[in-house]
Amino acid sequence: MLSVNIPVYNIEVGGLVQELVSQSARLKYPVEIRVYDDGSNENVKLKNREISNLPGAVYTELEKNMGRSAIRNKMGLESGFEYLLFIDADSALVKPDYLSSFLENADQKTVLCGGTTYKKEPPKEKSQYLRWFYGTHREAISALERNNKKGFIITSNNFLIPKKVFEKIRFREDLKMYGHEDTLLGYDLHRQGIQIRHIENPVEHTGLEDGTVFLDKTCVALKSLHLITNQLLPGDTEFARQVNFLNRYQSIRKIIPAFLLRWFFSMFHILLEKHLTGRNPKLFWFDVYKLGYYSTLGQKKAG
């Protein structure tokens, strides 16, 4: 009935798979747990190979790195059961009935998003504080709030989709860079009339990056968003209206021309980065940083 898919890149997932195996043993439905390695280093692969000894687990090492969208598509299409649950490798289960909660809410016309949570205590590593602080305040929100505000937005770290739906609508592989592949998938599902529902069934995000790495990944994700709006969905006003960041950017552009945003970013981005990776970052300045960086993308077309 359920295929759990965990794409892996340089993360040991033995503990996560052990917990999934334990929960699946308590279900009356068949469950498979598929772990595909997307080009990790040999030390990580050596540890993860032990997964193949666990009941119901399928461990596969790919010959070359496929990327975030392609590996998820491959896993979903090769899965054996009618529901596909995708979990990111840097996750930990927080509910003993995590699998059963998804199955109790599953139906063939709905995509379910479980949500994300973080440890209550800030990380001991000060360099990871920005990622924890952002996740705690912007990502760890209730299902009620997500249903009211997220619209078609899904997060690929923890969602369940019927395989029949995924066979027709899956991740777009022409989006090669990191970021917003799940935003685009959610929009494609929305346009085909597939319901997206958020439930209270989170996983804990354990992969806290260094603050500078998080800022770099944020910029790459903004490049992906720019690519979506300008090349994959050119002129699609609904997408821009429903993605909060794009809506906010367009509203600010009506007041502040893009060249002023670019000037501000060029003058102050170093100070902003120093503040955001410091001891007491403010998410207001993180939002300003993102708006300024986005204004620098595609400058020849910007106004």
Side-chain angles (χ1 to χ4, degrees):
M1 183 175 190
L2 178 65
S3 296
V4 183
N5 296 289
I6 309 172
V8 171
Y9 180 71
N10 283 336
I11 297 176
E12 295 179 15
V13 292
L16 172 61
V17 176
Q18 284 273 13
E19 178 59 26
L20 288 166
V21 168
S22 177
Q23 288 200 19
S24 66
R26 300 194 293 269
L27 299 175
K28 60 182 179 180
Y29 308 106
V31 177
E32 65 172 359
I33 302 163
R34 308 181 75 91
V35 178
Y36 283 24
D37 183 275
D38 201 16
S40 299
N41 63 54
E42 193 61 29
N43 289 335
V44 171
K45 289 192 288 189
L46 186 63
K47 289 285 188 180
N48 285 336
R49 283 171 189 152
E50 300 173 7
I51 292 168
S52 60
N53 297 320
L54 297 174
V58 178
Y59 175 73
T60 302
E61 294 177 1
L62 304 180
E63 292 184 4
K64 61 179 182 179
N65 183 275
M66 297 184 67
R68 293 171 59 85
S69 294
I71 190 173
R72 285 169 171 79
N73 287 342
K74 179 178 176 63
M75 297 185 79
L77 296 177
E78 293 180 358
S79 293
F81 293 121
E82 60 185 306
Y83 289 105
L84 311 177
L85 174 57
F86 287 90
I87 309 175
D88 277 1
D90 56 348
S91 302
L93 305 190
V94 295
K95 292 180 60 179
D97 59 346
Y98 170 76
L99 292 180
S100 61
S101 291
F102 268 123
L103 292 176
E104 288 167 3
N105 287 278
D107 70 69
Q108 287 292 326
K109 297 181 179 180
T110 304
V111 173
L112 298 175
C113 300
T116 309
T117 189
Y118 288 79
K119 289 187 181 299
K120 293 182 179 180
E121 304 79 16
K124 294 179 180 179
E125 294 289 337
K126 295 298 175 67
S127 63
Q128 298 174 347
Y129 185 80
L130 174 63
R131 184 66 187 94
W132 173 84
F133 188 69
Y134 175 84
T136 300
H137 289 82
R138 293 286 176 83
E139 296 175 343
I141 56 179
S142 69
L144 177 63
E145 186 175 355
R146 282 182 278 131
N147 279 313
N148 287 336
K149 294 183 177 180
K150 288 289 186 178
F152 65 80
I153 304 297
I154 68 172
T155 49
S156 59
N157 72 313
N158 181 26
F159 79 106
L160 181 134
I161 183 170
K163 185 173 181 179
K164 288 183 178 180
V165 173
F166 192 75
E167 287 173 339
K168 297 177 181 178
I169 309 166
R170 46 190 182 269
F171 291 99
R172 294 204 198 183
E173 295 183 21
D174 48 358
L175 187 62
K176 303 293 185 182
M177 294 183 293
Y178 165 86
H180 290 288
E181 64 280 345
D182 45 7
T183 306
L184 187 54
L185 173 64
Y187 187 58
D188 287 340
L189 291 165
H190 164 72
R191 291 199 299 183
Q192 294 299 317
I194 304 300
Q195 182 182 4
I196 297 170
R197 184 160 68 92
H198 298 267
I199 64 173
E200 207 67 63
N201 198 29
V203 294
E204 180 187 314
H205 181 209
T206 60
L208 298 179
E209 307 105 335
D210 180 89
T212 56
V213 174
F214 178 55
L215 289 179
D216 288 343
K217 291 178 71 173
T218 297
C219 291
V220 174
L222 290 173
K223 288 181 181 178
S224 289
L225 191 59
H226 188 267
L227 175 67
I228 293 170
T229 56
N230 289 275
Q231 296 185 32
L232 302 184
L233 298 173
D236 193 316
T237 56
E238 184 182 5
F239 181 83
R241 185 177 67 253
Q242 293 205 42
V243 175
N244 287 336
F245 172 81
L246 293 174
N247 196 322
R248 189 182 310 119
Y249 179 76
Q250 295 298 336
S251 298
I252 290 173
R253 278 278 306 275
K254 294 176 182 178
I255 303 171
I256 305 173
F259 76 87
L260 285 180
L261 292 173
R262 292 196 295 270
W263 173 84
F264 178 88
F265 186 80
S266 67
M267 293 295 293
F268 297 106
H269 72 94
I270 295 177
L271 286 176
L272 288 173
E273 290 165 1
K274 184 176 181 180
H275 164 75
L276 292 171
T277 56
R279 291 180 174 274
N280 189 30
K282 304 296 183 185
L283 293 183
F284 170 81
W285 292 116
F286 181 68
D287 293 338
V288 170
Y289 181 86
K290 289 172 62 179
L291 291 166
Y293 180 79
Y294 194 79
S295 72
T296 69
L297 302 176
Q299 291 185 31
K300 292 180 180 180
K301 296 182 180 179

